[in-house]
Coordinates of all heavy atoms in Angstrom, one line a residue:
S1 N 86.2 244.2 8.3 CA 84.8 244.1 8.0 C 84.2 242.7 8.5 O 83.0 242.5 8.3 CB 84.5 244.2 6.5 OG 85.1 243.2 5.8
G2 N 85.0 241.9 9.1 CA 84.6 240.7 9.7 C 84.5 239.5 8.7 O 84.1 238.4 9.0
L3 N 84.7 239.8 7.4 CA 84.6 238.8 6.4 C 86.0 238.2 6.2 O 87.0 238.8 6.2 CB 84.2 239.3 5.0 CG 82.7 239.9 5.0 CD1 82.5 240.5 3.6 CD2 81.7 238.8 5.3
L4 N 86.1 236.9 6.1 CA 87.3 236.2 5.9 C 87.6 236.2 4.4 O 86.8 235.7 3.6 CB 87.2 234.7 6.4 CG 88.5 233.9 6.2 CD1 89.7 234.4 6.9 CD2 88.2 232.5 6.7
E5 N 88.7 236.8 4.0 CA 89.1 236.8 2.6 C 90.0 235.6 2.4 O 91.0 235.4 3.0 CB 89.8 238.1 2.3 CG 90.1 238.2 0.8 CD 90.7 239.6 0.5 OE1 90.2 240.6 1.0 OE2 91.6 239.6 -0.3
E6 N 89.6 234.8 1.4 CA 90.4 233.6 1.1 C 90.8 233.6 -0.3 O 90.0 233.9 -1.2 CB 89.5 232.4 1.4 CG 90.3 231.1 1.3 CD 89.4 229.9 1.7 OE1 88.7 230.0 2.7 OE2 89.4 228.9 0.9
Q7 N 92.1 233.3 -0.5 CA 92.6 233.2 -1.9 C 93.1 231.8 -2.1 O 93.7 231.2 -1.3 CB 93.7 234.2 -2.1 CG 93.3 235.6 -2.1 CD 94.5 236.5 -2.4 OE1 95.6 236.1 -2.5 NE2 94.2 237.8 -2.6
V8 N 92.6 231.2 -3.2 CA 93.0 229.9 -3.5 C 93.8 229.9 -4.8 O 93.4 230.5 -5.8 CB 91.8 229.0 -3.7 CG1 92.2 227.6 -4.1 CG2 91.0 228.9 -2.4
F9 N 95.0 229.3 -4.7 CA 95.8 229.2 -5.9 C 95.9 227.7 -6.3 O 96.2 226.9 -5.4 CB 97.2 229.7 -5.7 CG 97.3 231.2 -5.4 CD1 97.2 231.7 -4.1 CD2 97.3 232.1 -6.5 CE1 97.2 233.1 -3.9 CE2 97.3 233.5 -6.3 CZ 97.3 234.0 -5.0
V10 N 95.7 227.4 -7.5 CA 95.8 226.1 -8.0 C 97.0 226.0 -8.9 O 97.0 226.8 -9.9 CB 94.5 225.6 -8.7 CG1 94.7 224.2 -9.2 CG2 93.3 225.7 -7.7
V11 N 97.9 225.2 -8.6 CA 99.0 225.0 -9.5 C 99.0 223.6 -10.0 O 98.9 222.6 -9.2 CB 100.4 225.2 -8.7 CG1 101.6 225.0 -9.6 CG2 100.4 226.6 -8.1
Q12 N 99.0 223.5 -11.3 CA 99.0 222.2 -11.9 C 100.4 221.9 -12.6 O 100.8 222.7 -13.4 CB 98.0 222.1 -13.0 CG 97.8 220.7 -13.6 CD 96.7 220.6 -14.5 OE1 96.0 221.6 -14.9 NE2 96.4 219.4 -15.0
I13 N 101.1 220.9 -12.1 CA 102.4 220.6 -12.7 C 102.2 219.4 -13.6 O 101.8 218.4 -13.2 CB 103.4 220.3 -11.5 CG1 103.5 221.5 -10.6 CG2 104.7 219.9 -12.1 CD1 104.4 221.2 -9.4
L14 N 102.6 219.6 -14.8 CA 102.5 218.6 -15.8 C 103.8 218.0 -16.1 O 104.8 218.7 -16.3 CB 101.9 219.1 -17.1 CG 100.5 219.8 -17.0 CD1 100.1 220.4 -18.3 CD2 99.5 218.7 -16.5
D15 N 103.9 216.7 -16.1 CA 105.1 216.0 -16.5 C 105.1 215.9 -18.0 O 104.6 214.9 -18.5 CB 105.2 214.7 -15.8 CG 106.5 213.9 -16.1 OD1 107.4 214.6 -16.6 OD2 106.5 212.7 -15.8
V16 N 105.6 216.9 -18.7 CA 105.6 216.9 -20.1 C 107.0 216.6 -20.7 O 107.9 217.3 -20.3 CB 105.1 218.2 -20.7 CG1 105.1 218.2 -22.2 CG2 103.7 218.5 -20.2
D17 N 107.1 215.6 -21.5 CA 108.4 215.2 -22.1 C 108.3 215.6 -23.5 O 107.8 214.8 -24.3 CB 108.6 213.7 -21.9 CG 110.0 213.3 -22.4 OD1 110.8 214.2 -22.8 OD2 110.3 212.1 -22.4
E18 N 108.8 216.7 -23.9 CA 108.8 217.2 -25.2 C 110.0 216.8 -26.0 O 110.2 217.2 -27.2 CB 108.6 218.8 -25.3 CG 107.3 219.2 -24.7 CD 106.1 218.8 -25.5 OE1 106.2 218.7 -26.8 OE2 105.0 218.6 -24.9
T19 N 110.9 216.1 -25.4 CA 112.1 215.7 -26.1 C 111.8 214.6 -27.1 O 111.2 213.6 -26.7 CB 113.2 215.1 -25.1 OG1 113.4 216.1 -24.1 CG2 114.5 214.8 -25.8
P20 N 112.1 214.8 -28.3 CA 111.9 213.8 -29.3 C 112.5 212.4 -28.9 O 113.6 212.4 -28.4 CB 112.4 214.3 -30.6 CG 112.5 215.8 -30.4 CD 112.8 216.0 -28.9
K21 N 111.9 211.3 -29.3 CA 112.4 210.0 -29.0 C 112.6 209.3 -30.3 O 111.9 209.5 -31.3 CB 111.4 209.2 -28.1 CG 111.2 209.8 -26.7 CD 110.1 209.1 -26.0 CE 109.9 209.7 -24.6 NZ 108.7 209.2 -24.0
T22 N 113.4 208.3 -30.2 CA 113.6 207.4 -31.3 C 113.1 206.0 -30.9 O 113.5 205.5 -29.8 CB 115.1 207.3 -31.7 OG1 115.5 208.6 -32.1 CG2 115.3 206.3 -32.9
F23 N 112.3 205.4 -31.7 CA 111.8 204.1 -31.4 C 112.3 203.1 -32.5 O 112.5 203.5 -33.6 CB 110.2 204.1 -31.5 CG 109.6 204.9 -30.5 CD1 109.2 206.2 -30.8 CD2 109.3 204.4 -29.2 CE1 108.6 207.0 -29.8 CE2 108.7 205.2 -28.2 CZ 108.4 206.5 -28.5
Y24 N 112.6 201.9 -32.0 CA 113.3 200.9 -32.9 C 112.3 199.7 -33.1 O 111.6 199.3 -32.2 CB 114.6 200.4 -32.2 CG 115.6 201.5 -32.1 CD1 115.6 202.4 -31.0 CD2 116.6 201.7 -33.1 CE1 116.5 203.4 -30.9 CE2 117.5 202.7 -33.0 CZ 117.5 203.6 -31.8 OH 118.4 204.6 -31.7
V25 N 112.4 199.2 -34.3 CA 111.5 198.0 -34.7 C 112.5 197.0 -35.4 O 113.2 197.4 -36.3 CB 110.4 198.4 -35.6 CG1 109.5 197.2 -35.9 CG2 109.6 199.6 -35.0
A26 N 112.4 195.8 -35.0 CA 113.2 194.7 -35.6 C 112.5 193.4 -35.6 O 111.7 193.2 -34.7 CB 114.6 194.6 -34.9
A27 N 112.8 192.5 -36.5 CA 112.2 191.2 -36.6 C 112.4 190.4 -35.3 O 111.5 189.6 -35.0 CB 112.6 190.5 -37.8
N28 N 113.5 190.6 -34.6 CA 113.7 189.8 -33.4 C 113.3 190.6 -32.2 O 113.7 190.2 -31.1 CB 115.2 189.4 -33.3 CG 116.1 190.6 -33.1 OD1 115.8 191.7 -33.3 ND2 117.3 190.3 -32.6
G29 N 112.5 191.6 -32.3 CA 112.1 192.4 -31.2 C 110.9 191.7 -30.4 O 110.6 190.6 -30.7
N30 N 110.3 192.5 -29.5 CA 109.2 192.0 -28.8 C 108.3 193.2 -28.5 O 108.8 194.3 -28.0 CB 109.7 191.4 -27.4 CG 108.6 190.8 -26.6 OD1 107.5 191.4 -26.5 ND2 108.9 189.7 -26.0
D31 N 107.0 193.1 -28.8 CA 106.1 194.3 -28.6 C 105.9 194.6 -27.2 O 105.4 195.7 -26.9 CB 104.8 194.0 -29.3 CG 104.9 194.1 -30.8 OD1 105.9 194.6 -31.3 OD2 103.9 193.7 -31.5
A32 N 106.4 193.8 -26.2 CA 106.3 194.2 -24.8 C 107.5 195.1 -24.4 O 107.5 195.7 -23.4 CB 106.3 192.9 -24.0
N33 N 108.5 195.2 -25.3 CA 109.6 196.1 -25.1 C 109.2 197.5 -25.1 O 108.2 197.8 -25.7 CB 110.7 195.8 -26.1 CG 111.5 194.5 -25.9 OD1 111.4 193.9 -24.9 ND2 112.1 194.1 -27.0
D34 N 110.1 198.4 -24.6 CA 109.8 199.8 -24.7 C 110.1 200.4 -26.1 O 109.6 201.5 -26.4 CB 110.5 200.6 -23.6 CG 112.0 200.6 -23.7 OD1 112.6 200.2 -24.7 OD2 112.6 201.0 -22.7
G35 N 110.9 199.7 -26.9 CA 111.2 200.2 -28.2 C 112.1 201.4 -28.3 O 112.4 201.9 -29.3
L36 N 112.7 201.7 -27.2 CA 113.6 202.9 -27.1 C 115.1 202.7 -27.3 O 115.8 203.6 -27.3 CB 113.4 203.6 -25.7 CG 112.0 204.2 -25.5 CD1 111.8 204.7 -24.1 CD2 111.7 205.3 -26.5
S37 N 115.4 201.4 -27.7 CA 116.9 201.2 -28.0 C 117.0 200.0 -29.0 O 116.0 199.3 -29.1 CB 117.7 200.9 -26.7 OG 117.4 199.6 -26.3
E38 N 118.1 199.9 -29.6 CA 118.3 198.8 -30.5 C 118.3 197.5 -29.7 O 118.0 196.4 -30.3 CB 119.7 199.0 -31.2 CG 119.7 200.1 -32.2 CD 121.0 200.2 -33.0 OE1 121.4 199.2 -33.6 OE2 121.6 201.2 -32.9
A39 N 118.6 197.5 -28.4 CA 118.5 196.3 -27.6 C 117.1 195.9 -27.2 O 116.9 194.8 -26.8 CB 119.4 196.5 -26.4
T40 N 116.2 196.9 -27.3 CA 114.8 196.6 -26.8 C 113.8 197.0 -27.9 O 112.9 197.8 -27.6 CB 114.5 197.3 -25.5 OG1 114.7 198.7 -25.7 CG2 115.4 196.8 -24.4
P41 N 113.9 196.5 -29.1 CA 113.0 197.0 -30.2 C 111.7 196.3 -30.1 O 111.5 195.3 -29.5 CB 113.7 196.5 -31.5 CG 114.4 195.3 -31.0 CD 114.9 195.5 -29.6
W42 N 110.7 197.0 -30.7 CA 109.4 196.4 -30.9 C 109.6 195.4 -32.1 O 110.5 195.4 -32.8 CB 108.4 197.4 -31.3 CG 108.0 198.4 -30.2 CD1 108.1 198.2 -28.9 CD2 107.7 199.8 -30.4 NE1 107.7 199.3 -28.2 CE2 107.5 200.3 -29.1 CE3 107.5 200.6 -31.5 CZ2 107.1 201.6 -28.9 CZ3 107.1 201.9 -31.3 CH2 106.9 202.4 -30.1
Q43 N 108.5 194.6 -32.3 CA 108.6 193.5 -33.3 C 107.7 193.8 -34.5 O 107.9 193.4 -35.6 CB 108.3 192.2 -32.7 CG 108.5 191.0 -33.7 CD 108.3 189.7 -33.1 OE1 107.4 189.5 -32.2 NE2 109.0 188.7 -33.6
T44 N 106.5 194.5 -34.2 CA 105.5 194.6 -35.3 C 105.0 196.0 -35.5 O 105.2 196.9 -34.7 CB 104.3 193.7 -34.9 OG1 103.6 194.4 -33.8 CG2 104.6 192.3 -34.6
T45 N 104.5 196.2 -36.7 CA 103.9 197.5 -37.0 C 102.6 197.7 -36.2 O 102.1 198.8 -36.0 CB 103.6 197.7 -38.5 OG1 102.7 196.6 -38.9 CG2 104.8 197.7 -39.3
T46 N 102.0 196.6 -35.7 CA 100.8 196.7 -34.8 C 101.2 197.5 -33.6 O 100.5 198.4 -33.2 CB 100.3 195.3 -34.4 OG1 100.0 194.6 -35.6 CG2 99.1 195.4 -33.5
R47 N 102.4 197.3 -33.0 CA 102.8 198.0 -31.9 C 103.1 199.5 -32.2 O 102.9 200.4 -31.4 CB 104.1 197.4 -31.2 CG 104.6 198.1 -30.0 CD 103.6 198.0 -28.9 NE 104.1 198.7 -27.7 CZ 103.8 200.0 -27.4 NH1 103.1 200.7 -28.3 NH2 104.3 200.6 -26.4
V48 N 103.7 199.7 -33.4 CA 103.9 201.1 -33.9 C 102.6 201.9 -33.9 O 102.5 203.0 -33.4 CB 104.6 201.1 -35.2 CG1 104.8 202.5 -35.8 CG2 106.0 200.4 -35.1
N49 N 101.6 201.2 -34.5 CA 100.3 201.9 -34.6 C 99.7 202.2 -33.2 O 99.1 203.2 -33.0 CB 99.3 201.0 -35.3 CG 99.5 201.0 -36.8 OD1 100.1 201.9 -37.4 ND2 99.1 199.9 -37.5
Q50 N 100.0 201.3 -32.2 CA 99.5 201.6 -30.8 C 100.2 202.8 -30.2 O 99.6 203.5 -29.5 CB 99.8 200.4 -29.9 CG 98.9 199.2 -30.3 CD 99.3 197.9 -29.5 OE1 100.4 197.9 -28.9 NE2 98.6 196.9 -29.7
Q51 N 101.4 203.1 -30.6 CA 102.1 204.2 -30.1 C 101.9 205.5 -30.9 O 102.2 206.6 -30.4 CB 103.6 203.9 -30.2 CG 104.5 204.9 -29.5 CD 104.4 205.0 -28.0 OE1 104.1 204.0 -27.4 NE2 104.6 206.2 -27.5
A52 N 101.3 205.4 -32.0 CA 101.1 206.6 -32.9 C 100.5 207.8 -32.3 O 100.9 208.9 -32.5 CB 100.3 206.2 -34.2
G53 N 99.5 207.6 -31.4 CA 98.8 208.7 -30.8 C 99.7 209.4 -29.7 O 99.4 210.5 -29.3
E54 N 100.8 208.8 -29.3 CA 101.7 209.4 -28.3 C 102.9 210.1 -29.0 O 103.7 210.7 -28.2 CB 102.2 208.3 -27.4 CG 101.1 207.5 -26.7 CD 100.2 208.4 -25.8 OE1 100.8 209.2 -25.1 OE2 99.0 208.2 -25.8
L55 N 103.0 210.0 -30.3 CA 104.2 210.6 -30.9 C 104.1 212.1 -30.8 O 103.1 212.7 -30.9 CB 104.3 210.1 -32.4 CG 104.5 208.6 -32.6 CD1 104.4 208.3 -34.1 CD2 105.8 208.1 -32.0
V56 N 105.3 212.7 -30.7 CA 105.4 214.1 -30.7 C 106.3 214.5 -31.9 O 107.0 213.7 -32.4 CB 105.9 214.7 -29.4 CG1 105.0 214.4 -28.2 CG2 107.3 214.2 -29.1
G57 N 106.3 215.8 -32.2 CA 107.1 216.3 -33.3 C 108.6 216.0 -33.1 O 109.1 216.2 -32.0
G58 N 109.2 215.4 -34.1 CA 110.6 215.1 -34.0 C 110.8 213.6 -33.6 O 112.0 213.1 -33.8
D59 N 109.8 212.9 -33.2 CA 110.0 211.5 -32.9 C 110.3 210.7 -34.2 O 109.9 211.1 -35.2 CB 108.7 210.9 -32.3 CG 108.5 211.2 -30.8 OD1 109.4 211.8 -30.2 OD2 107.5 210.8 -30.3
R60 N 111.1 209.6 -34.0 CA 111.5 208.8 -35.2 C 111.2 207.4 -34.9 O 111.3 206.9 -33.8 CB 113.0 209.0 -35.5 CG 113.4 210.4 -35.7 CD 114.9 210.5 -36.1 NE 115.8 209.8 -35.1 CZ 117.0 209.5 -35.4 NH1 117.6 209.7 -36.5 NH2 117.7 208.9 -34.4
I61 N 110.8 206.7 -35.9 CA 110.6 205.2 -35.9 C 111.6 204.6 -36.9 O 111.5 204.9 -38.1 CB 109.2 204.8 -36.2 CG1 108.2 205.5 -35.2 CG2 109.0 203.3 -36.1 CD1 106.8 205.4 -35.6
L62 N 112.5 203.8 -36.4 CA 113.6 203.2 -37.2 C 113.3 201.7 -37.4 O 113.2 201.0 -36.4 CB 114.9 203.5 -36.6 CG 115.3 205.0 -36.4 CD1 116.7 205.0 -35.8 CD2 115.2 205.7 -37.7
F63 N 113.3 201.3 -38.6 CA 113.1 199.8 -38.9 C 114.5 199.3 -39.3 O 115.2 199.9 -40.2 CB 112.1 199.6 -40.0 CG 110.7 200.1 -39.7 CD1 110.3 201.4 -39.8 CD2 109.8 199.2 -39.2 CE1 109.1 201.8 -39.4 CE2 108.5 199.5 -38.9 CZ 108.2 200.9 -39.0
R64 N 114.9 198.2 -38.7 CA 116.2 197.6 -39.0 C 116.2 197.2 -40.5 O 115.3 196.4 -41.0 CB 116.5 196.4 -38.1 CG 118.0 196.0 -38.3 CD 118.5 195.1 -37.2 NE 117.6 193.9 -37.1 CZ 117.7 193.2 -36.0 NH1 118.5 193.5 -35.0 NH2 116.9 192.1 -35.9
R65 N 117.2 197.6 -41.2 CA 117.4 197.3 -42.6 C 117.5 195.8 -42.8 O 118.2 195.1 -42.1 CB 118.7 198.0 -43.1 CG 118.9 197.8 -44.6 CD 120.2 198.4 -45.1 NE 120.3 199.7 -44.5 CZ 121.5 200.4 -44.5 NH1 122.5 199.9 -45.0 NH2 121.5 201.6 -44.0
G66 N 116.8 195.3 -43.8 CA 116.8 193.9 -44.2 C 115.8 193.0 -43.5 O 115.6 191.9 -43.9
D67 N 115.3 193.5 -42.4 CA 114.3 192.8 -41.7 C 112.9 192.8 -42.4 O 112.6 193.8 -43.0 CB 114.1 193.3 -40.2 CG 115.2 192.9 -39.3 OD1 116.2 192.3 -39.8 OD2 115.1 193.1 -38.1
V68 N 112.2 191.7 -42.2 CA 110.8 191.7 -42.7 C 109.9 191.9 -41.4 O 110.0 191.1 -40.5 CB 110.4 190.4 -43.3 CG1 108.9 190.3 -43.6 CG2 111.2 190.1 -44.6
I69 N 109.2 193.0 -41.4 CA 108.4 193.4 -40.2 C 107.0 193.1 -40.5 O 106.4 193.5 -41.5 CB 108.6 194.9 -39.9 CG1 110.1 195.3 -39.7 CG2 107.8 195.3 -38.6 CD1 110.8 194.6 -38.6
R70 N 106.4 192.3 -39.6 CA 105.0 191.9 -39.7 C 104.1 192.8 -38.9 O 104.5 193.5 -38.1 CB 104.9 190.4 -39.2 CG 105.8 189.5 -39.8 CD 105.3 188.8 -41.0 NE 106.3 187.9 -41.6 CZ 106.5 187.6 -42.8 NH1 105.8 188.3 -43.7 NH2 107.4 186.8 -43.2
G71 N 102.8 192.7 -39.2 CA 101.8 193.4 -38.4 C 100.8 194.1 -39.3 O 100.7 193.9 -40.5
D72 N 100.0 194.9 -38.6 CA 99.0 195.7 -39.3 C 99.6 196.7 -40.2 O 100.8 197.2 -40.0 CB 98.1 196.4 -38.3 CG 97.3 195.4 -37.5 OD1 97.1 194.3 -37.9 OD2 97.0 195.8 -36.3
M73 N 98.9 197.2 -41.3 CA 99.3 198.2 -42.1 C 99.5 199.5 -41.2 O 98.7 199.8 -40.3 CB 98.3 198.6 -43.2 CG 98.7 199.7 -44.1 SD 97.5 200.1 -45.4 CE 97.2 198.5 -46.2
M74 N 100.6 200.2 -41.5 CA 100.9 201.4 -40.7 C 99.8 202.4 -41.0 O 99.5 202.7 -42.1 CB 102.3 201.9 -41.0 CG 103.3 200.9 -40.5 SD 104.8 201.5 -39.9 CE 104.6 203.1 -39.4
D75 N 99.3 203.0 -39.9 CA 98.3 204.0 -40.1 C 98.7 205.2 -39.2 O 98.3 205.3 -38.1 CB 96.9 203.5 -39.7 CG 95.8 204.5 -39.9 OD1 96.0 205.6 -40.5 OD2 94.7 204.2 -39.4
L76 N 99.4 206.1 -39.8 CA 99.8 207.4 -39.1 C 99.1 208.6 -39.6 O 99.5 209.7 -39.4 CB 101.3 207.5 -39.3 CG 102.2 206.4 -38.7 CD1 103.7 206.6 -39.0 CD2 102.0 206.1 -37.3
R77 N 98.0 208.4 -40.3 CA 97.2 209.5 -40.8 C 96.8 210.4 -39.6 O 96.4 209.9 -38.5 CB 95.9 209.0 -41.5 CG 96.2 208.4 -42.8 CD 95.0 207.8 -43.4 NE 94.6 206.7 -42.6 CZ 93.5 206.1 -42.6 NH1 92.6 206.4 -43.5 NH2 93.2 205.0 -41.9
G78 N 96.8 211.7 -39.8 CA 96.4 212.6 -38.7 C 97.5 212.9 -37.8 O 97.3 213.8 -36.9
Y79 N 98.6 212.3 -37.9 CA 99.8 212.6 -37.1 C 100.8 213.3 -37.9 O 101.0 213.0 -39.1 CB 100.4 211.4 -36.4 CG 99.3 210.6 -35.7 CD1 98.8 209.5 -36.2 CD2 99.0 211.1 -34.4 CE1 97.8 208.8 -35.5 CE2 98.0 210.4 -33.7 CZ 97.4 209.2 -34.2 OH 96.5 208.5 -33.5
S80 N 101.4 214.3 -37.4 CA 102.5 215.0 -38.1 C 103.7 215.0 -37.3 O 103.7 214.8 -36.1 CB 102.0 216.5 -38.4 OG 102.0 217.2 -37.3
N81 N 104.8 215.4 -37.9 CA 106.1 215.4 -37.2 C 106.4 216.8 -36.7 O 107.5 217.1 -36.5 CB 107.2 214.8 -38.1 CG 107.4 215.6 -39.3 OD1 106.7 216.6 -39.6 ND2 108.4 215.2 -40.1
G82 N 105.4 217.6 -36.5 CA 105.6 218.9 -36.0 C 105.4 219.9 -37.0 O 105.5 221.1 -36.9

């Protein structure tokens, strides 16, 4: 019929990491750390609060026993563990 038939397919690939993570917090940590190991813990609850919106179901936040952790009051309202 002389008309060019064009089909467009859009494929969106999302880099979704649904694997639960464990984050570590310790008095001798550093909030610039990734918090993903005992060797690279965060230091404050302020950093935990910054990460709260990125948490997915099954994620854990572990605080080293006996440490005094400083920072803002933890505010995880509105977030659930799945």
Side-chain angles (χ1 to χ4, degrees):
S1 66
L3 296 176
L4 178 61
E5 185 174 318
E6 186 175 313
Q7 293 183 350
V8 178
F9 293 92
V10 177
V11 178
Q12 185 175 9
I13 300 173
L14 300 176
D15 184 16
V16 178
D17 184 5
E18 295 294 331
T19 304
K21 295 177 184 166
T22 300
F23 296 96
Y24 296 85
V25 183
N28 69 341
N30 184 319
D31 285 350
N33 289 343
D34 63 13
L36 293 173
S37 74
E38 290 183 58
T40 60
W42 295 328
Q43 184 178 36
T44 68
T45 55
T46 302
R47 181 63 181 95
V48 174
N49 285 336
Q50 291 170 352
Q51 185 68 29
E54 305 297 319
L55 298 175
V56 298
D59 281 356
R60 301 183 309 161
I61 302 169
L62 303 181
F63 295 84
R64 188 164 57 196
R65 182 182 316 164
D67 281 7
V68 175
I69 306 299
R70 308 269 182 215
D72 297 333
M73 182 182 305
M74 296 216 17
D75 184 9
L76 301 177
R77 290 174 291 169
Y79 302 102
S80 71
N81 63 359

